[in-house]
Amino acid sequence: EVQLEQSGAEVKKPGESLRISCQGSGNSFTNYWIGWARQMPGKGLEWVGFIHFRDSETRYSPSFQGQVTISADKSISTAYLQWSNLKASETATYYCASAVHGSSSWPHWGQGTLLTVSS
Amino acid sequence: QSALTQPASVSGSPGQSITISCTGTSSDVGYYNYVSWYQQYPGKAPKLIIYEVSNRPSGVSDRFSGSKSGNTASLTISGLQDEDESDYYCSSYTTTNIYVFGTGTRVTVL
């Protein structure tokens, strides 16, 4: 069974950089997309973007384009979400999810990574 | 790409049926049969309960059903139970090759 394990909670200051991770297990992820979703405190889910493990094709939701970088290391089945200049408004829980290429649904989710950005 | 529109809250008594709507546009819900629904308990990761408009993953109760008409998709929960009290989100693939979530609906069992 596919499992996604995310890195632990982070507390950062505004202006700092950060990379969080999502490691897949239980399958070969060569033909998978990994998506990242944001959930701000008390708010709804928002898709951040997606990356394909095979060729690292990456797509971003318009609101997040230029604000984050999504990358992947297929040799260790791990995807990353990265910030170079954190803002307090980016405080949220970030979830990763996986979908088989050609499928339109996201059946497997990580446990979430809570990011707190505060001075 | 704007979020799909869902009612903020829906409530019902145990045993009743409720329906949650998810309204998009001809560039997302209305274009593809790629609407999914997710259930999320507070502090937990989302769980897929409906995919491709009306299909249930293995292990999901048949009390959950989905449909679509035009630019609006719907999730119906039949025989409402206490455990159904949760947040529900729709999601659709779009013509810009990304996905978009709905605004989310809090279901309350009275």
Side-chain angles (χ1 to χ4, degrees), chain B:
Chain B
Q1 192 74 45
S2 299
L4 309 175
T5 301
Q6 298 180 231
S9 63
V10 174
S11 62
S13 300
Q16 286 187 329
S17 294
I18 61 169
T19 297
I20 302 168
S21 60
C22 168
T23 301
T25 70
S26 56
S27 297
D28 39 61
V29 175
Y31 194 91
Y32 296 105
N33 286 327
Y34 292 156
V35 177
S36 301
W37 288 89
Y38 300 85
Q39 178 189 56
Q40 186 185 34
Y41 292 108
K44 300 296 186 183
K47 174 189 175 183
L48 176 68
I49 57 173
I50 295 287
Y51 66 97
E52 293 174 3
V53 175
S54 60
N55 296 292
R56 276 188 311 275
S58 174
V60 172
S61 171
D62 60 4
R63 298 185 299 103
F64 293 97
S65 62
S67 63
K68 191 187 88 166
S69 178
N71 296 337
T72 299
S74 298
L75 173 72
T76 297
I77 309 175
S78 305
L80 198 63
Q81 299 180 0
D82 289 345
E83 67 203 50
D84 301 329
E85 188 161 290
S86 183
D87 295 324
Y88 294 84
Y89 295 89
C90 60
S91 178
S92 176
Y93 192 61
T94 77
T95 55
T96 55
N97 298 322
I98 61 172
Y99 289 83
V100 62
F101 276 116
T103 50
T105 299
R106 172 68 55 89
V107 169
T108 301
V109 182
L110 301 172

Side-chain angles (χ1 to χ4, degrees), chain A:
Chain A
E1 180 183 343
V2 171
Q3 290 189 319
L4 301 175
E5 183 69 26
Q6 297 186 228
S7 50
E10 300 274 2
V11 179
K12 307 295 281 186
K13 290 180 167 37
E16 291 186 331
S17 60
L18 174 68
R19 188 177 76 170
I20 62 175
S21 64
C22 170
Q23 183 169 34
S25 62
N27 208 335
S28 168
F29 284 83
T30 303
N31 202 32
Y32 275 73
W33 288 90
I34 294 291
W36 288 96
R38 180 177 80 174
Q39 189 165 40
M40 300 172 73
K43 302 299 184 182
L45 295 165
E46 304 169 90
W47 284 114
V48 175
F50 320 87
I51 189 165
H52 197 283
F53 267 122
R54 184 184 63 238
D55 57 8
S56 292
E57 177 185 350
T58 309
R59 303 174 186 172
Y60 296 93
S61 295
S63 300
F64 294 91
Q65 182 80 47
Q67 307 304 307
V68 298
T69 301
I70 295 172
S71 61
D73 184 340
K74 62 184 178 183
S75 68
I76 54 172
S77 300
T78 299
Y80 303 98
L81 179 62
Q82 182 174 334
W83 297 263
S84 59
N85 181 16
L86 282 163
K87 306 175 184 62
S89 60
E90 287 164 326
T91 293
T93 297
Y94 293 84
Y95 293 99
C96 66
S98 68
V100 176
H101 183 77
S103 167
S104 66
S105 62
W106 303 81
H108 305 290
W109 290 75
Q111 80 274 25
T113 295
L114 175 61
L115 168 61
T116 303
V117 184
S118 174
S119 55

